[in-house]
Amino acid sequence: MNRRRSDGIDPVARSRSRRRALQAVYAWQMSGASAREVIAQFAHEQAHEVADLEYFEDLVLGVDKHCEELDVALAPFLDRDIEQVDPIERAVLRIAAYELRERRDVPYRVVINEAIETVKRFGSEHGHTYVNGVLDHAAVAWRPVEVQAARPR
């Protein structure tokens, strides 16, 4: 069965790529290794998962390249310093912030839903509630036209 949409994107592979990206960004945050080193470690596993390797790399390298500006952009929506946020939730927030700000081809609702599902799977018991609140506010600020268009009239 072909899961690809008409635009060629396989949503299941994208979800796997996001989960792998979370693991890679988490490892990068905790180890201090370079993003390229972390990608090399994960790339072998990624190939076996039949995920979207290109998207995985874009997320990890995008977070690495834009980390400082992502953290600054997220700050108004956080109730504490980004470094005090749980490491899993921090990694998810950085990935989602990158997608919301740099990947306009991905609908904001997809970004938020994927972030919530990933935190539910890997994060703390109520981490998804925190991530949802932060990203809802960020989406309104960063993609106001898209958010407004999606709201019922």
Side-chain angles (χ1 to χ4, degrees):
M1 182 170 125
N2 189 350
R3 298 177 309 228
R4 290 189 184 277
R5 300 185 326 216
S6 61
D7 59 6
I9 292 172
D10 179 342
V12 174
R14 282 271 176 104
S15 289
R16 286 185 186 137
S17 296
R18 287 182 183 94
R19 288 193 302 271
R20 285 286 179 221
L22 165 64
Q23 293 169 324
V25 170
Y26 176 83
W28 167 74
Q29 289 174 164
M30 302 309 282
S31 71
S34 76
R36 289 264 179 219
E37 290 170 320
V38 172
I39 286 173
Q41 291 169 356
F42 279 82
H44 178 70
E45 284 180 53
Q46 187 74 8
H48 293 299
E49 291 253 340
V50 192
D52 186 334
L53 185 59
E54 184 179 313
Y55 200 74
F56 162 79
E57 289 183 2
D58 180 61
L59 294 176
V60 176
L61 292 174
V63 168
D64 178 46
K65 179 180 178 183
H66 300 283
C67 190
E68 191 174 314
E69 66 192 74
L70 295 172
D71 289 353
V72 168
L74 283 165
F77 313 114
L78 301 175
D79 61 353
R80 62 196 100 146
D81 184 74
I82 188 77
E83 294 302 323
Q84 294 175 329
V85 173
D86 173 85
I88 293 288
E89 293 163 20
R90 182 181 341 131
V92 169
L93 286 170
R94 285 173 168 165
I95 292 166
Y98 172 74
E99 284 189 287
L100 285 171
R101 294 173 62 86
E102 304 294 329
R103 295 296 308 238
R104 300 287 176 157
D105 58 312
V106 181
Y108 86 95
R109 286 182 168 174
V110 171
V111 173
I112 294 173
N113 185 57
E114 290 281 328
I116 290 167
E117 292 305 314
T118 305
V119 172
K120 282 181 179 177
R121 184 169 180 175
F122 296 105
S124 63
E125 185 177 351
H126 298 291
H128 66 281
T129 305
Y130 183 72
V131 167
N132 186 34
V134 171
L135 295 178
D136 277 345
H137 288 94
V140 169
W142 301 338
R143 294 194 182 183
V145 173
E146 184 182 354
V147 171
Q148 189 61 37
R151 293 212 167 129
R153 306 222 176 240

